[in-house]
Amino acid sequence: MILLVLGLALFFTVHMLPSFPGAYQRLHERFGEQAFKGGFAILSLVGIVLAVIGMGMAPTIDLWQPGEFTKSIAPGLMLPAFMLLVLAYVPSNVRRYIRHPMLTAVLLWGLAHLLANGDLASMILFGSFAVYSVVAMVSANRRGAKKATDYKSMLWDLVGAGGGIGVYALFVYLHPYLFGVPALLPST
């Protein structure tokens, strides 16, 4: 459990830097753009790797037993999460309606997995990402984040949504191989 918490602490510390513009600017100026971005990427990757290893090693300490109903909600939340994630990185119109599509996707991902898992390590992992996404949205809004006003071609909305559906389908297929549990409940 220690590696999980250390990895998350490293990842979120790095990702919360923009919430502290003075420190962010000083580090950026001191190391230069390339070194700063490289350090940010490396520390983020190390944090995620530690969290994944820690999650795999964490003991199963059940806090509650998720029911079939809550487990069945998770896949429904994950589809828009994947769509928003892809739409955040193509020139789509999603930013005209949702200020932070990537962070909203992370929030949906965290909530979906909190509904489907009742153990302590899952609460720490998915709960921390859900909380982080809300804190990051509030922080970005305080720094002046606005919804986009420019119109993009609807083609990009279709490409992004279709890409999100494709990534969702891929993760549903790979989920048991990557994480040891099926993403969808077996039909009865």
Side-chain angles (χ1 to χ4, degrees), residues 60-66 114 117-124:
T60 301
I61 302 170
D62 289 325
L63 300 177
W64 67 289
Q65 187 60 43
L114 285 171
N117 298 281
D119 63 285
L120 179 60
S122 293
M123 296 295 116
I124 292 170

Side-chain angles (χ1 to χ4, degrees), residues 33-137:
E33 178 144 358
Q34 297 299 340
F36 179 82
K37 285 182 176 179
F40 188 97
I42 290 168
L43 290 173
S44 296
L45 181 62
V46 168
I48 286 293
V49 168
L50 288 174
V52 167
I53 292 170
M55 184 70 177
M57 294 172 55
T60 301
I61 302 170
D62 289 325
L63 300 177
W64 67 289
Q65 187 60 43
E68 295 300 313
F69 177 72
T70 58
K71 287 182 179 182
S72 69
I73 295 172
L77 289 174
M78 288 308 300
L79 180 58
F82 277 111
M83 292 171 72
L84 285 170
L85 186 62
V86 174
L87 285 164
Y89 291 99
V90 298
S92 70
N93 289 297
V94 73
R95 288 187 190 275
R96 290 181 38 230
Y97 304 102
I98 299 174
R99 229 183 282 192
H100 310 288
M102 192 272 300
L103 290 171
T104 303
V106 172
L107 177 60
L108 290 173
W109 172 80
L111 292 175
H113 286 79
L114 285 171
L115 288 171
N117 298 281
D119 63 285
L120 179 60
S122 293
M123 296 295 116
I124 292 170
L125 176 67
F126 303 119
S128 64
F129 271 96
V131 169
Y132 161 76
S133 62
V134 172
V135 170
M137 283 187 242

